[in-house]
Amino acid sequence: MKALGVDIGGTRIKAGLVTRDGKILRRLAIETPIDPGEFKRALAAVITQLATGEEELAGVGIGCKGIIDYETTRIEVLPGLLRPLEGTRLSELVPLSVPVRADNDAKVALAGELLWGAARGRRHVVLLTLGTGVGGAILAEGKFIRGVGGVAGHLGHYTLDPDGPVCICGNHGCLEAYFSADAIEAEAFRAVHSGCISVLTDRFRQHPERIRCRDVFEAAAEGDELARLIRDRATRRLAAAIAGLLHIFDPEIVILGGQIVEAGAALLEPLEREVEWRTRGLLRRKVPLVTQQMEDRSGIAGAAALLFAENGGQYTQSPISTGAA
């Protein structure tokens, strides 16, 4: 059996034909149109192209940032340039008479990990996606925690400091305002713009706006003091947030995904040490921090997992919307 998986991102729409074991047979990617009308036409065209010639499809799974009503596929909140799509039911944009499921992109990532990755066989899991922002998903007693309005799991808005910097959500001192690619790059920009002594200043003095998070981690790994300061301060805050989440949810495992995780040991080793000492007093055990283990991390296979998850918590307990004929 096959399903279509679709990942709606702020810059690209990625889609693919996925087998039950998580393999992507065919894939397409296009730039995300900003105009709502163009977006709907482009999404329908991608789905139609991939579905052509496929007689039996389990359905279409869609992952999208923001707050998605899982039971209706309605986009409740969608920050950024795609905000005009709020109120749209994604199932109505699918030009096929097949089951359609949609969810927040971080929950989609965890659905994929449940079937084919680090969460397989687990009942208590916390997942964090560390990229431009910070996303999250929580599995407790084998079920996804959604909350009353579907907001549960937005771990990037865990408040670390009530008087901290303003976050995109309007709160102050959120985890995302301290540990995200945007936050780390902003701090590096300020340091280079101020002329601080660093290899980052040497490399980006003329164009500090070109600094990327990976540049900071690479410089830190090379021993640059400024880069280490930025990395270590951000990592301590992430560790403090994870420690709080461990005390709240007591998971079997914490899964980390997103572009920042590509830093590897430069991030994971100090993070593990910091989390361990912050939690050993009550937990009395070391909770594994692991990276996503799915072969595909584009979001495509994870979206298809919404159709394949037989024991994925609420993924078999809620109504499935149907696409248009």
Side-chain angles (χ1 to χ4, degrees), residues 8 13 36-37 39-48 60 62 73 75 85 88-96 100 322-324:
I8 298 174
I13 296 174
F39 173 91
K40 294 174 182 179
R41 288 190 291 273
L43 180 62
V46 166
I47 291 172
T48 299
V60 178
I62 303 174
T73 76
I75 300 174
L85 291 171
T88 301
R89 293 193 180 200
L90 289 166
S91 60
E92 295 176 354
L93 306 186
V94 175
L96 307 173
V100 179
T322 302

PDB file of all heavy atoms in Angstrom, residues 8 13 36-37 39-48 60 62 73 75 85 88-96 100 322-324:
ATOM      1  N   ILE A   8       4.131  21.112   3.845  1.00  0.00           N
ATOM      2  CA  ILE A   8       3.937  22.507   3.448  1.00  0.00           C
ATOM      3  C   ILE A   8       4.876  23.378   4.279  1.00  0.00           C
ATOM      4  O   ILE A   8       4.703  23.528   5.488  1.00  0.00           O
ATOM      5  CB  ILE A   8       2.479  22.945   3.664  1.00  0.00           C
ATOM      6  CG1 ILE A   8       1.543  22.105   2.794  1.00  0.00           C
ATOM      7  CG2 ILE A   8       2.317  24.432   3.335  1.00  0.00           C
ATOM      8  CD1 ILE A   8       0.071  22.367   3.051  1.00  0.00           C
ATOM      9  N   ILE A  13       6.944  23.520  -0.983  1.00  0.00           N
ATOM     10  CA  ILE A  13       6.013  22.413  -0.789  1.00  0.00           C
ATOM     11  C   ILE A  13       6.709  21.163  -1.304  1.00  0.00           C
ATOM     12  O   ILE A  13       7.132  21.109  -2.467  1.00  0.00           O
ATOM     13  CB  ILE A  13       4.703  22.621  -1.565  1.00  0.00           C
ATOM     14  CG1 ILE A  13       3.958  23.852  -1.046  1.00  0.00           C
ATOM     15  CG2 ILE A  13       3.812  21.392  -1.454  1.00  0.00           C
ATOM     16  CD1 ILE A  13       2.726  24.204  -1.872  1.00  0.00           C
ATOM     17  N   PRO A  36      -2.914  33.015  -1.982  1.00  0.00           N
ATOM     18  CA  PRO A  36      -3.747  31.861  -1.603  1.00  0.00           C
ATOM     19  C   PRO A  36      -4.291  31.077  -2.791  1.00  0.00           C
ATOM     20  O   PRO A  36      -4.301  29.847  -2.779  1.00  0.00           O
ATOM     21  CB  PRO A  36      -4.871  32.502  -0.788  1.00  0.00           C
ATOM     22  CG  PRO A  36      -4.279  33.756  -0.238  1.00  0.00           C
ATOM     23  CD  PRO A  36      -3.348  34.246  -1.307  1.00  0.00           C
ATOM     24  N   GLY A  37      -4.745  31.780  -3.828  1.00  0.00           N
ATOM     25  CA  GLY A  37      -5.275  31.104  -5.003  1.00  0.00           C
ATOM     26  C   GLY A  37      -4.212  30.277  -5.709  1.00  0.00           C
ATOM     27  O   GLY A  37      -4.436  29.124  -6.090  1.00  0.00           O
ATOM     28  N   PHE A  39      -1.496  29.162  -4.351  1.00  0.00           N
ATOM     29  CA  PHE A  39      -1.114  28.075  -3.458  1.00  0.00           C
ATOM     30  C   PHE A  39      -2.042  26.878  -3.643  1.00  0.00           C
ATOM     31  O   PHE A  39      -1.588  25.734  -3.768  1.00  0.00           O
ATOM     32  CB  PHE A  39      -1.157  28.556  -2.002  1.00  0.00           C
ATOM     33  CG  PHE A  39      -0.935  27.457  -0.992  1.00  0.00           C
ATOM     34  CD1 PHE A  39       0.340  27.166  -0.544  1.00  0.00           C
ATOM     35  CD2 PHE A  39      -2.000  26.708  -0.496  1.00  0.00           C
ATOM     36  CE1 PHE A  39       0.558  26.150   0.376  1.00  0.00           C
ATOM     37  CE2 PHE A  39      -1.796  25.694   0.417  1.00  0.00           C
ATOM     38  CZ  PHE A  39      -0.511  25.411   0.853  1.00  0.00           C
ATOM     39  N   LYS A  40      -3.328  27.110  -3.640  1.00  0.00           N
ATOM     40  CA  LYS A  40      -4.301  26.017  -3.753  1.00  0.00           C
ATOM     41  C   LYS A  40      -4.155  25.296  -5.079  1.00  0.00           C
ATOM     42  O   LYS A  40      -4.217  24.059  -5.145  1.00  0.00           O
ATOM     43  CB  LYS A  40      -5.718  26.570  -3.574  1.00  0.00           C
ATOM     44  CG  LYS A  40      -5.966  27.114  -2.163  1.00  0.00           C
ATOM     45  CD  LYS A  40      -7.320  27.802  -2.038  1.00  0.00           C
ATOM     46  CE  LYS A  40      -7.510  28.373  -0.648  1.00  0.00           C
ATOM     47  NZ  LYS A  40      -8.801  29.079  -0.490  1.00  0.00           N
ATOM     48  N   ARG A  41      -3.948  26.057  -6.157  1.00  0.00           N
ATOM     49  CA  ARG A  41      -3.787  25.431  -7.472  1.00  0.00           C
ATOM     50  C   ARG A  41      -2.494  24.618  -7.535  1.00  0.00           C
ATOM     51  O   ARG A  41      -2.478  23.505  -8.080  1.00  0.00           O
ATOM     52  CB  ARG A  41      -3.801  26.499  -8.567  1.00  0.00           C
ATOM     53  CG  ARG A  41      -5.181  27.104  -8.806  1.00  0.00           C
ATOM     54  CD  ARG A  41      -5.177  27.969 -10.050  1.00  0.00           C
ATOM     55  NE  ARG A  41      -4.391  29.191  -9.867  1.00  0.00           N
ATOM     56  CZ  ARG A  41      -4.868  30.326  -9.367  1.00  0.00           C
ATOM     57  NH1 ARG A  41      -6.150  30.393  -8.994  1.00  0.00           N
ATOM     58  NH2 ARG A  41      -4.105  31.394  -9.247  1.00  0.00           N
ATOM     59  N   ALA A  42      -1.426  25.164  -6.959  1.00  0.00           N
ATOM     60  CA  ALA A  42      -0.139  24.473  -7.006  1.00  0.00           C
ATOM     61  C   ALA A  42      -0.173  23.185  -6.186  1.00  0.00           C
ATOM     62  O   ALA A  42       0.336  22.143  -6.615  1.00  0.00           O
ATOM     63  CB  ALA A  42       0.964  25.400  -6.485  1.00  0.00           C
ATOM     64  N   LEU A  43      -0.794  23.235  -5.004  1.00  0.00           N
ATOM     65  CA  LEU A  43      -0.894  22.041  -4.165  1.00  0.00           C
ATOM     66  C   LEU A  43      -1.691  20.954  -4.869  1.00  0.00           C
ATOM     67  O   LEU A  43      -1.299  19.778  -4.892  1.00  0.00           O
ATOM     68  CB  LEU A  43      -1.539  22.392  -2.832  1.00  0.00           C
ATOM     69  CG  LEU A  43      -1.722  21.233  -1.838  1.00  0.00           C
ATOM     70  CD1 LEU A  43      -0.380  20.651  -1.432  1.00  0.00           C
ATOM     71  CD2 LEU A  43      -2.497  21.696  -0.604  1.00  0.00           C
ATOM     72  N   ALA A  44      -2.822  21.333  -5.466  1.00  0.00           N
ATOM     73  CA  ALA A  44      -3.652  20.364  -6.182  1.00  0.00           C
ATOM     74  C   ALA A  44      -2.890  19.746  -7.354  1.00  0.00           C
ATOM     75  O   ALA A  44      -2.987  18.538  -7.611  1.00  0.00           O
ATOM     76  CB  ALA A  44      -4.934  21.033  -6.671  1.00  0.00           C
ATOM     77  N   ALA A  45      -2.092  20.562  -8.063  1.00  0.00           N
ATOM     78  CA  ALA A  45      -1.342  20.065  -9.217  1.00  0.00           C
ATOM     79  C   ALA A  45      -0.281  19.056  -8.795  1.00  0.00           C
ATOM     80  O   ALA A  45      -0.088  18.021  -9.455  1.00  0.00           O
ATOM     81  CB  ALA A  45      -0.701  21.239  -9.959  1.00  0.00           C
ATOM     82  N   VAL A  46       0.403  19.337  -7.696  1.00  0.00           N
ATOM     83  CA  VAL A  46       1.439  18.417  -7.205  1.00  0.00           C
ATOM     84  C   VAL A  46       0.819  17.079  -6.806  1.00  0.00           C
ATOM     85  O   VAL A  46       1.337  16.000  -7.145  1.00  0.00           O
ATOM     86  CB  VAL A  46       2.186  19.044  -6.006  1.00  0.00           C
ATOM     87  CG1 VAL A  46       3.014  17.994  -5.280  1.00  0.00           C
ATOM     88  CG2 VAL A  46       3.076  20.184  -6.481  1.00  0.00           C
ATOM     89  N   ILE A  47      -0.285  17.144  -6.071  1.00  0.00           N
ATOM     90  CA  ILE A  47      -0.949  15.916  -5.632  1.00  0.00           C
ATOM     91  C   ILE A  47      -1.451  15.113  -6.831  1.00  0.00           C
ATOM     92  O   ILE A  47      -1.277  13.884  -6.901  1.00  0.00           O
ATOM     93  CB  ILE A  47      -2.104  16.259  -4.671  1.00  0.00           C
ATOM     94  CG1 ILE A  47      -1.536  16.796  -3.352  1.00  0.00           C
ATOM     95  CG2 ILE A  47      -2.978  15.030  -4.411  1.00  0.00           C
ATOM     96  CD1 ILE A  47      -2.581  17.340  -2.406  1.00  0.00           C
ATOM     97  N   THR A  48      -2.053  15.792  -7.786  1.00  0.00           N
ATOM     98  CA  THR A  48      -2.564  15.114  -8.980  1.00  0.00           C
ATOM     99  C   THR A  48      -1.446  14.437  -9.756  1.00  0.00           C
ATOM    100  O   THR A  48      -1.579  13.293 -10.206  1.00  0.00           O
ATOM    101  CB  THR A  48      -3.298  16.111  -9.892  1.00  0.00           C
ATOM    102  OG1 THR A  48      -4.398  16.675  -9.184  1.00  0.00           O
ATOM    103  CG2 THR A  48      -3.797  15.433 -11.163  1.00  0.00           C
ATOM    104  N   VAL A  60      -3.958  10.748   1.625  1.00  0.00           N
ATOM    105  CA  VAL A  60      -2.995  11.842   1.577  1.00  0.00           C
ATOM    106  C   VAL A  60      -2.773  12.353   2.992  1.00  0.00           C
ATOM    107  O   VAL A  60      -3.732  12.690   3.698  1.00  0.00           O
ATOM    108  CB  VAL A  60      -3.488  13.003   0.675  1.00  0.00           C
ATOM    109  CG1 VAL A  60      -2.481  14.158   0.685  1.00  0.00           C
ATOM    110  CG2 VAL A  60      -3.727  12.510  -0.744  1.00  0.00           C
ATOM    111  N   ILE A  62      -0.785  15.291   5.292  1.00  0.00           N
ATOM    112  CA  ILE A  62      -0.228  16.635   5.108  1.00  0.00           C
ATOM    113  C   ILE A  62       0.338  17.145   6.427  1.00  0.00           C
ATOM    114  O   ILE A  62      -0.334  17.115   7.458  1.00  0.00           O
ATOM    115  CB  ILE A  62      -1.296  17.622   4.605  1.00  0.00           C
ATOM    116  CG1 ILE A  62      -1.918  17.120   3.302  1.00  0.00           C
ATOM    117  CG2 ILE A  62      -0.691  19.016   4.406  1.00  0.00           C
ATOM    118  CD1 ILE A  62      -3.082  17.976   2.804  1.00  0.00           C
ATOM    119  N   THR A  73      -8.856  18.974   9.691  1.00  0.00           N
ATOM    120  CA  THR A  73      -7.748  19.435   8.830  1.00  0.00           C
ATOM    121  C   THR A  73      -7.760  20.955   8.643  1.00  0.00           C
ATOM    122  O   THR A  73      -7.059  21.484   7.792  1.00  0.00           O
ATOM    123  CB  THR A  73      -7.734  18.753   7.445  1.00  0.00           C
ATOM    124  OG1 THR A  73      -8.755  19.299   6.603  1.00  0.00           O
ATOM    125  CG2 THR A  73      -7.876  17.251   7.558  1.00  0.00           C
ATOM    126  N   ILE A  75      -6.812  24.756   9.139  1.00  0.00           N
ATOM    127  CA  ILE A  75      -5.680  25.552   9.614  1.00  0.00           C
ATOM    128  C   ILE A  75      -6.223  26.618  10.556  1.00  0.00           C
ATOM    129  O   ILE A  75      -6.927  27.538  10.138  1.00  0.00           O
ATOM    130  CB  ILE A  75      -4.930  26.215   8.446  1.00  0.00           C
ATOM    131  CG1 ILE A  75      -4.389  25.162   7.482  1.00  0.00           C
ATOM    132  CG2 ILE A  75      -3.793  27.075   8.974  1.00  0.00           C
ATOM    133  CD1 ILE A  75      -3.759  25.734   6.223  1.00  0.00           C
ATOM    134  N   LEU A  85      -4.157  31.746   4.656  1.00  0.00           N
ATOM    135  CA  LEU A  85      -4.744  30.414   4.545  1.00  0.00           C
ATOM    136  C   LEU A  85      -5.451  29.977   5.828  1.00  0.00           C
ATOM    137  O   LEU A  85      -6.086  28.914   5.847  1.00  0.00           O
ATOM    138  CB  LEU A  85      -3.662  29.386   4.185  1.00  0.00           C
ATOM    139  CG  LEU A  85      -3.071  29.507   2.781  1.00  0.00           C
ATOM    140  CD1 LEU A  85      -1.872  28.583   2.636  1.00  0.00           C
ATOM    141  CD2 LEU A  85      -4.122  29.194   1.717  1.00  0.00           C
ATOM    142  N   THR A  88      -8.713  27.629   6.270  1.00  0.00           N
ATOM    143  CA  THR A  88      -8.824  26.675   5.173  1.00  0.00           C
ATOM    144  C   THR A  88      -8.763  25.241   5.689  1.00  0.00           C
ATOM    145  O   THR A  88      -7.957  24.921   6.555  1.00  0.00           O
ATOM    146  CB  THR A  88      -7.685  26.884   4.158  1.00  0.00           C
ATOM    147  OG1 THR A  88      -7.743  28.214   3.655  1.00  0.00           O
ATOM    148  CG2 THR A  88      -7.789  25.899   3.006  1.00  0.00           C
ATOM    149  N   ARG A  89      -9.614  24.392   5.147  1.00  0.00           N
ATOM    150  CA  ARG A  89      -9.518  22.962   5.439  1.00  0.00           C
ATOM    151  C   ARG A  89      -8.641  22.318   4.369  1.00  0.00           C
ATOM    152  O   ARG A  89      -8.994  22.329   3.180  1.00  0.00           O
ATOM    153  CB  ARG A  89     -10.902  22.311   5.460  1.00  0.00           C
ATOM    154  CG  ARG A  89     -11.769  22.797   6.614  1.00  0.00           C
ATOM    155  CD  ARG A  89     -12.979  21.918   6.797  1.00  0.00           C
ATOM    156  NE  ARG A  89     -13.804  22.397   7.905  1.00  0.00           N
ATOM    157  CZ  ARG A  89     -14.693  21.649   8.552  1.00  0.00           C
ATOM    158  NH1 ARG A  89     -14.875  20.395   8.192  1.00  0.00           N
ATOM    159  NH2 ARG A  89     -15.398  22.153   9.542  1.00  0.00           N
ATOM    160  N   LEU A  90      -7.528  21.761   4.788  1.00  0.00           N
ATOM    161  CA  LEU A  90      -6.587  21.201   3.826  1.00  0.00           C
ATOM    162  C   LEU A  90      -7.202  20.059   3.035  1.00  0.00           C
ATOM    163  O   LEU A  90      -6.863  19.850   1.870  1.00  0.00           O
ATOM    164  CB  LEU A  90      -5.325  20.739   4.557  1.00  0.00           C
ATOM    165  CG  LEU A  90      -4.438  21.880   5.092  1.00  0.00           C
ATOM    166  CD1 LEU A  90      -3.409  21.358   6.067  1.00  0.00           C
ATOM    167  CD2 LEU A  90      -3.757  22.607   3.928  1.00  0.00           C
ATOM    168  N   SER A  91      -8.118  19.324   3.644  1.00  0.00           N
ATOM    169  CA  SER A  91      -8.759  18.219   2.933  1.00  0.00           C
ATOM    170  C   SER A  91      -9.511  18.703   1.701  1.00  0.00           C
ATOM    171  O   SER A  91      -9.638  17.978   0.703  1.00  0.00           O
ATOM    172  CB  SER A  91      -9.716  17.466   3.865  1.00  0.00           C
ATOM    173  OG  SER A  91     -10.729  18.332   4.343  1.00  0.00           O
ATOM    174  N   GLU A  92     -10.004  19.947   1.744  1.00  0.00           N
ATOM    175  CA  GLU A  92     -10.767  20.488   0.622  1.00  0.00           C
ATOM    176  C   GLU A  92      -9.861  20.883  -0.547  1.00  0.00           C
ATOM    177  O   GLU A  92     -10.348  21.157  -1.646  1.00  0.00           O
ATOM    178  CB  GLU A  92     -11.594  21.683   1.079  1.00  0.00           C
ATOM    179  CG  GLU A  92     -12.676  21.302   2.095  1.00  0.00           C
ATOM    180  CD  GLU A  92     -13.433  22.504   2.629  1.00  0.00           C
ATOM    181  OE1 GLU A  92     -13.039  23.651   2.294  1.00  0.00           O
ATOM    182  OE2 GLU A  92     -14.419  22.307   3.367  1.00  0.00           O
ATOM    183  N   LEU A  93      -8.550  20.909  -0.310  1.00  0.00           N
ATOM    184  CA  LEU A  93      -7.609  21.265  -1.374  1.00  0.00           C
ATOM    185  C   LEU A  93      -7.071  20.037  -2.092  1.00  0.00           C
ATOM    186  O   LEU A  93      -6.315  20.167  -3.051  1.00  0.00           O
ATOM    187  CB  LEU A  93      -6.436  22.059  -0.783  1.00  0.00           C
ATOM    188  CG  LEU A  93      -6.791  23.297   0.051  1.00  0.00           C
ATOM    189  CD1 LEU A  93      -5.524  24.040   0.438  1.00  0.00           C
ATOM    190  CD2 LEU A  93      -7.753  24.197  -0.700  1.00  0.00           C
ATOM    191  N   VAL A  94      -7.454  18.857  -1.603  1.00  0.00           N
ATOM    192  CA  VAL A  94      -6.985  17.609  -2.206  1.00  0.00           C
ATOM    193  C   VAL A  94      -7.971  17.173  -3.282  1.00  0.00           C
ATOM    194  O   VAL A  94      -9.136  16.869  -2.973  1.00  0.00           O
ATOM    195  CB  VAL A  94      -6.836  16.506  -1.138  1.00  0.00           C
ATOM    196  CG1 VAL A  94      -6.457  15.179  -1.783  1.00  0.00           C
ATOM    197  CG2 VAL A  94      -5.782  16.914  -0.104  1.00  0.00           C
ATOM    198  N   PRO A  95      -7.552  17.128  -4.553  1.00  0.00           N
ATOM    199  CA  PRO A  95      -8.482  16.832  -5.652  1.00  0.00           C
ATOM    200  C   PRO A  95      -8.683  15.335  -5.883  1.00  0.00           C
ATOM    201  O   PRO A  95      -8.802  14.889  -7.030  1.00  0.00           O
ATOM    202  CB  PRO A  95      -7.783  17.490  -6.851  1.00  0.00           C
ATOM    203  CG  PRO A  95      -6.336  17.324  -6.549  1.00  0.00           C
ATOM    204  CD  PRO A  95      -6.204  17.473  -5.042  1.00  0.00           C
ATOM    205  N   LEU A  96      -8.744  14.556  -4.817  1.00  0.00           N
ATOM    206  CA  LEU A  96      -8.911  13.112  -4.905  1.00  0.00           C
ATOM    207  C   LEU A  96      -9.967  12.669  -3.898  1.00  0.00           C
ATOM    208  O   LEU A  96     -10.109  13.276  -2.836  1.00  0.00           O
ATOM    209  CB  LEU A  96      -7.597  12.380  -4.590  1.00  0.00           C
ATOM    210  CG  LEU A  96      -6.332  12.771  -5.368  1.00  0.00           C
ATOM    211  CD1 LEU A  96      -5.136  12.058  -4.780  1.00  0.00           C
ATOM    212  CD2 LEU A  96      -6.484  12.447  -6.840  1.00  0.00           C
ATOM    213  N   VAL A 100      -7.957  11.925   3.929  1.00  0.00           N
ATOM    214  CA  VAL A 100      -6.954  12.984   4.101  1.00  0.00           C
ATOM    215  C   VAL A 100      -6.754  13.230   5.588  1.00  0.00           C
ATOM    216  O   VAL A 100      -7.723  13.414   6.333  1.00  0.00           O
ATOM    217  CB  VAL A 100      -7.399  14.309   3.429  1.00  0.00           C
ATOM    218  CG1 VAL A 100      -6.348  15.399   3.656  1.00  0.00           C
ATOM    219  CG2 VAL A 100      -7.629  14.096   1.940  1.00  0.00           C
ATOM    220  N   THR A 322     -12.165  13.568   4.036  1.00  0.00           N
ATOM    221  CA  THR A 322     -12.017  13.041   2.685  1.00  0.00           C
ATOM    222  C   THR A 322     -11.843  14.179   1.715  1.00  0.00           C
ATOM    223  O   THR A 322     -12.508  15.209   1.800  1.00  0.00           O
ATOM    224  CB  THR A 322     -13.262  12.217   2.297  1.00  0.00           C
ATOM    225  OG1 THR A 322     -13.435  11.176   3.242  1.00  0.00           O
ATOM    226  CG2 THR A 322     -13.103  11.623   0.894  1.00  0.00           C
ATOM    227  N   GLY A 323     -10.900  13.978   0.773  1.00  0.00           N
ATOM    228  CA  GLY A 323     -10.637  14.998  -0.219  1.00  0.00           C
ATOM    229  C   GLY A 323     -11.783  15.136  -1.208  1.00  0.00           C
ATOM    230  O   GLY A 323     -12.718  14.331  -1.251  1.00  0.00           O
ATOM    231  N   ALA A 324     -11.689  16.156  -2.030  1.00  0.00           N
ATOM    232  CA  ALA A 324     -12.723  16.422  -3.022  1.00  0.00           C
ATOM    233  C   ALA A 324     -12.681  15.369  -4.121  1.00  0.00           C
ATOM    234  O   ALA A 324     -11.652  14.762  -4.389  1.00  0.00           O
ATOM    235  CB  ALA A 324     -12.528  17.810  -3.615  1.00  0.00           C
TER     236      ALA A 324
END
